[in-house]
Amino acid sequence: MLLKEDRKVSGAVSNLLLEHYGITGEIHPLQGEVDLNFYVIADSGECYTLKISDEADFESIQFQNAMLSHVKECTMLKLPYVVRSLSGNEMETIIFDRETRLIRLLTWVPGRLFAYVKPHSAKLLTSLGIASAELSQALSGFDHEGAHRAYKWDPAQAFWVKEHLEQFPTEKEAGTIRYFYDLFEENQPLLRSLRKSVTHNDINDYNILVSEHLEKAVVEGIIDFGDAIYTYTVNELAITLAYAMMDKEDPVYAACHVISGFHSWRALTETEVEALLTLIGARLIISVTASMLNKKENPDNEYLSISEKPAWKLLYKLQNIPKSFIHYSFRSACGWNARPGKSLSPDKVSFAPVIKGLEENIYNIDLSVGSKKLGNAYNYASKERVDLRIKRILEDADHTIGYGRYGEVRPFYNSSEYQKRTDDGFLPKARALGVDFFSFESRGVMAAYDGVVHSVLRSGNEATIILSHKVEGIPFFTLYKHLSTSSIKDVVKGKAIKQGVLIAKIGSEGVHGVRLHHLHFQIIYDLLGYEMNFPATASSDEWNVWSQICPDPSPFFKWKSGATINTGKQKIIEKRDKYLGKALSVSYNDPLHIIRGYKQHLFDITGRPYLDMVNNVAHVGHEHPAVVEAGQRQIAVLNTNTRYLHEEITLFAEELLATLPSHLKVCHFVNSGSEANELALRMVQACTGSRHMIVLESGYHGNTGGCIDISSYKFDGKGGKGAPEHTHVIPAPDYFRGIYQGQSGQFQKYIAHVKDALVTITSKGGRVGGFIAESILSCAGQIVLPTGYLAEIYKLIHREGGVCIADEVQVGVGRVGEKFWGFELQGVQPDIVTIGKPLGNGHPLAAVVCTQEVADQFNNGMEYFNTFGGNPVSCSIGRAVLRVVREEKLQQNALQMGNLLLDELKALQKQYPIIGDVRGHGLFSGFELVRGLTPATKEATYLANRMKEKGILMSTDGPDNNVLKLKPPICISQQDIAFFMKQLEDVFKEDFLKA
Ligand code: PMP
């Protein structure tokens, strides 16, 4: 046994290093299974690995050295290279620990160990496949007698595992080992046909080095060639996969990225891909068997069984996934047909109608995520409502039978059984693998094609029949689900059935008085070991594989293709580029294609829900049923301008004014926040005759010419030309990173800037028109105004005869929790309040509310007409929003959930100093990322993008874009906050803080 962590060792090693390599420096022991390894930081700054090996390893080391010299010439990968000794040798014989040993020095490969890199992104996994292939390719022209050896870690030589089968402590373990061992034995003929070459044979997660880059982390290097051997070429990939798949929720998904990377660099053969699972299994059972034996011999050496737990977990997982599904997925990753067998041609095969009445005019019911027929998500919040909705759709279309298309993603498949777990949360398995028929009557079900009854399965009062068929040597099955058990008496396993023969009746009946019969029909090429529980839906990421196992039945019924979903994202991007102004931006590095919203969630085209933590427009929740209904009902009756009498506008004005302090008496309804502020500016000028406005740094008030002129966020930002003459910018009172920091003594310094601005205005012979500020600063980075700040400024402005505007476009309507309006937190009385985003919950509705004096002065004879502002539809919607806030107690919810969120974030801040500040009121909050006081912009952007991958929408703001802003729909629940915090904490545990 070699000495391991002996202090004396370092001294001895230092001497050897100086003697043989003329190098002095720091020496740190490293872990290793066979050799004694040291990390050397030479005084020159160069880093090395020094290895001391048994004398008996002489030939093996010679082989390794020859191999490294060879690959050095043919790959760009970062690998350890041999440093010659002072005497010019690749290794030296030494006496160490009183024994003859071999010493050699290798260059150090920089980077992070793959094992410690989080997350293992698709890009990283693909790059791992490429690196593995690159090494495989580099080694392909190399051979050495040292490589031809017996070695227990070679998956090709896994036979030795068999003799230890009985030594596993549990039957579960032994059973799993047997499953993979049997696979290994059964597949010997296949394995023997594989090409061979020298392989590294140990691309495990501790031998892989990853670049330091945060978002674009890729594999750059591979170390430790001590396991190299001449074996099946594809073992390189199999071993890479065995480790890369560990600790993954969905190991097959992870593997597919590695495989596609590998195949893109070094083409795999179909046989190699077929052998992959066997070889992955072989390596894993070698690993767990070696761990089991090692534990018996060296119970204290943890390094020897470092991969044991994850290897077991992976083995169990793989054992539970159908082998052929894994094979098909791997093939699909290579860009081949997922299923190697032949497929039916609709030109040669025609199905009989499977349901009586199908010959008639059958109606296609759009049940997709974005279906407007399906309407509001409320309509499918329970099974009964789904049935009711489908029935209504059919009735409206004057049909009694209809079908839901193959390939359609259905939003009501949202219970846990329709979810697939991934490392980044759940993905919906909601894409239909068959056709679903819905009928008012219980119709007869007929065999689609000549066949034999494969199985009849009963569950409760429903039954499923699977028929097996063969056409021109191509076997396939048809599946009929939701049949009435009483109708299938004479259909028994093995019975021959002719095409078009009645086999059953549809049986399922709706509840709560809704009678709707449902038949699910599916074609299946490979039952994958399933029977009744054969999946009826798949997740979008696995669609390429599943759609080849279960093809679209419509061409066999001679319908037009059913699958019309998924207008490619890329197409939309191209069309946006072509037809829309380039100044429009889109969120996220990989933009989202959102087609539905409900309450605090948005749903993309795959049906994936995203928790919306950033949309304060969908104030009471996206597509809130009460708001939707209010708009729909009114627009069906009347939508015209304010020149006729209509009660909706006066009721809305009355109800809105009731939420505001009594000095605000008059409403003007407009269509956007910008329009509201534009009107407010006109009011200022009407009242004061002045255009001089005092505004806050980084403030944003709208997109019109007038609003841009008072928006420092725009005129001081990209493409801006600085403040116009009549705009006077004062600094944002940011105690955390503003120009005056810390709490004490800074207040008056900020106020002094207002006084200075007033002096500047009067010194030029002007007078102040007004002051505008958001009640909590949003674009400036969710900055809460200091206590008394607005009161002090309003006093100064009013003294000079100016007008004070509270911009409540972001924060109003109950969001800040404690109060209904943000300015009320400051205890001030604005002359004008502008309201936008939340008021219409997504409908373009905004308002300017002002005092009687302001309204009177504005009314100078010139008519104020607004084509759309104040129309009955907008007013109905506005009233519904106010009603929902009231009835659902959402202001209280904003307070409670807002406080909970702030508390949780402050607790997280204690663990992670990069969270420099947490601030906000109610559900208008944010946290700022800093390194010291330097804005951590890159990390903030990364965080927003990473959270999106985990199903949460948030975005950055502030002058340095380092503030994560949080302003979710105020119907958000405690459960949502728990989910948000869990995902956030998980990302903090990843690598982004280390970058
Ligand atoms: N004021 C503030 C504070 C805003 O945040 C915005 C929009 N982000 C506006 C006004 C302009 O509103 P709109 O986009 O509805 O015109």
Side-chain angles (χ1 to χ4, degrees), residues 672-674 677 700-703 774 778 807 809-810 837:
S672 70
S674 305
N677 282 327
Y700 176 67
H701 302 287
N703 57 31
E774 294 174 77
S778 55
D807 182 334
V809 171
Q810 292 264 1
K837 298 182 192 292

CSV table of all heavy atoms in Angstrom, one decimal, residues 672-674 677 700-703 774 778 807 809-810 837, ligand 1:
chain,number,residue,atom,x,y,z
A,672,SER,N,-54.0,54.2,-22.3
A,672,SER,CA,-52.7,53.6,-21.9
A,672,SER,C,-52.0,54.6,-20.9
A,672,SER,O,-52.5,55.7,-20.8
A,672,SER,CB,-51.7,53.5,-23.2
A,672,SER,OG,-51.4,54.8,-23.6
A,673,GLY,N,-51.0,54.0,-20.2
A,673,GLY,CA,-50.3,54.8,-19.3
A,673,GLY,C,-49.7,56.0,-19.9
A,673,GLY,O,-49.7,57.2,-19.4
A,674,SER,N,-49.2,55.8,-21.1
A,674,SER,CA,-48.5,57.0,-21.8
A,674,SER,C,-49.5,58.1,-22.1
A,674,SER,O,-49.3,59.2,-21.9
A,674,SER,CB,-48.0,56.5,-23.2
A,674,SER,OG,-47.1,55.4,-23.0
A,677,ASN,N,-50.3,60.0,-19.0
A,677,ASN,CA,-49.3,60.9,-18.6
A,677,ASN,C,-49.2,62.1,-19.6
A,677,ASN,O,-48.9,63.2,-19.2
A,677,ASN,CB,-47.9,60.3,-18.4
A,677,ASN,CG,-47.8,59.5,-17.1
A,677,ASN,OD1,-48.4,60.0,-16.1
A,677,ASN,ND2,-47.1,58.4,-17.1
A,700,TYR,N,-39.6,56.4,-15.9
A,700,TYR,CA,-40.2,56.1,-17.2
A,700,TYR,C,-41.7,56.4,-17.0
A,700,TYR,O,-42.4,56.0,-16.1
A,700,TYR,CB,-40.0,54.7,-17.6
A,700,TYR,CG,-40.8,54.4,-18.9
A,700,TYR,CD1,-40.3,55.0,-20.1
A,700,TYR,CD2,-41.9,53.6,-19.0
A,700,TYR,CE1,-41.0,54.8,-21.3
A,700,TYR,CE2,-42.6,53.4,-20.2
A,700,TYR,CZ,-42.1,54.0,-21.3
A,700,TYR,OH,-42.8,53.8,-22.5
A,701,HIS,N,-42.2,57.2,-18.0
A,701,HIS,CA,-43.6,57.6,-17.9
A,701,HIS,C,-44.4,57.4,-19.2
A,701,HIS,O,-45.5,57.8,-19.3
A,701,HIS,CB,-43.7,59.1,-17.5
A,701,HIS,CG,-43.0,59.3,-16.1
A,701,HIS,ND1,-43.6,58.9,-14.9
A,701,HIS,CD2,-41.8,59.9,-15.8
A,701,HIS,CE1,-42.7,59.2,-14.0
A,701,HIS,NE2,-41.7,59.8,-14.5
A,702,GLY,N,-43.7,56.8,-20.2
A,702,GLY,CA,-44.5,56.5,-21.4
A,702,GLY,C,-43.8,56.7,-22.7
A,702,GLY,O,-42.7,57.3,-22.7
A,703,ASN,N,-44.4,56.3,-23.8
A,703,ASN,CA,-43.8,56.2,-25.1
A,703,ASN,C,-44.1,57.4,-26.0
A,703,ASN,O,-43.6,57.4,-27.1
A,703,ASN,CB,-44.0,54.9,-25.7
A,703,ASN,CG,-45.5,54.6,-25.9
A,703,ASN,OD1,-46.3,55.6,-26.1
A,703,ASN,ND2,-45.9,53.4,-25.9
A,774,GLU,N,-43.1,58.2,-9.9
A,774,GLU,CA,-43.8,57.0,-9.5
A,774,GLU,C,-43.8,56.8,-8.0
A,774,GLU,O,-42.8,57.3,-7.4
A,774,GLU,CB,-43.1,55.8,-10.1
A,774,GLU,CG,-43.0,55.7,-11.6
A,774,GLU,CD,-42.2,54.6,-12.1
A,774,GLU,OE1,-42.6,53.4,-12.0
A,774,GLU,OE2,-41.0,54.8,-12.5
A,778,SER,N,-39.9,52.1,-10.4
A,778,SER,CA,-39.8,50.8,-11.0
A,778,SER,C,-38.5,50.6,-11.9
A,778,SER,O,-37.6,49.9,-11.6
A,778,SER,CB,-41.1,50.4,-11.8
A,778,SER,OG,-41.3,51.4,-12.8
A,807,ASP,N,-47.5,59.0,-10.6
A,807,ASP,CA,-47.7,58.0,-11.6
A,807,ASP,C,-47.9,56.7,-10.9
A,807,ASP,O,-47.0,56.1,-10.4
A,807,ASP,CB,-46.4,58.1,-12.5
A,807,ASP,CG,-46.5,57.1,-13.7
A,807,ASP,OD1,-47.2,56.1,-13.5
A,807,ASP,OD2,-45.8,57.3,-14.7
A,809,VAL,N,-49.1,54.1,-12.6
A,809,VAL,CA,-49.3,53.1,-13.7
A,809,VAL,C,-48.8,51.7,-13.3
A,809,VAL,O,-49.4,50.7,-13.6
A,809,VAL,CB,-48.6,53.6,-15.0
A,809,VAL,CG1,-48.6,52.6,-16.1
A,809,VAL,CG2,-49.3,54.9,-15.5
A,810,GLN,N,-47.7,51.7,-12.5
A,810,GLN,CA,-47.1,50.4,-12.2
A,810,GLN,C,-47.7,49.9,-10.8
A,810,GLN,O,-47.9,48.7,-10.7
A,810,GLN,CB,-45.6,50.5,-12.0
A,810,GLN,CG,-44.8,50.7,-13.2
A,810,GLN,CD,-44.3,49.4,-13.8
A,810,GLN,OE1,-44.5,48.3,-13.3
A,810,GLN,NE2,-43.6,49.5,-15.0
A,837,LYS,N,-51.7,50.3,-16.4
A,837,LYS,CA,-51.6,48.8,-16.5
A,837,LYS,C,-52.7,48.0,-15.8
A,837,LYS,O,-53.4,47.3,-16.4
A,837,LYS,CB,-50.2,48.4,-16.0
A,837,LYS,CG,-49.1,48.9,-16.8
A,837,LYS,CD,-47.7,48.4,-16.3
A,837,LYS,CE,-46.5,49.1,-16.9
A,837,LYS,NZ,-46.3,48.9,-18.3
B,1,PMP,N1,-45.7,55.1,-16.4
B,1,PMP,C1,-45.0,54.1,-15.9
B,1,PMP,C2,-44.5,54.2,-14.5
B,1,PMP,C3,-44.8,52.9,-16.6
B,1,PMP,O1,-44.1,51.9,-16.1
B,1,PMP,C4,-45.3,52.8,-18.0
B,1,PMP,C5,-45.2,51.6,-18.8
B,1,PMP,N2,-44.2,50.7,-18.4
B,1,PMP,C6,-46.0,53.9,-18.5
B,1,PMP,C7,-46.2,55.0,-17.7
B,1,PMP,C8,-46.6,53.9,-19.9
B,1,PMP,O2,-47.7,53.1,-19.9
B,1,PMP,P1,-48.1,52.4,-21.3
B,1,PMP,O3,-47.1,51.5,-21.7
B,1,PMP,O4,-49.4,51.8,-20.9
B,1,PMP,O5,-48.3,53.5,-22.3
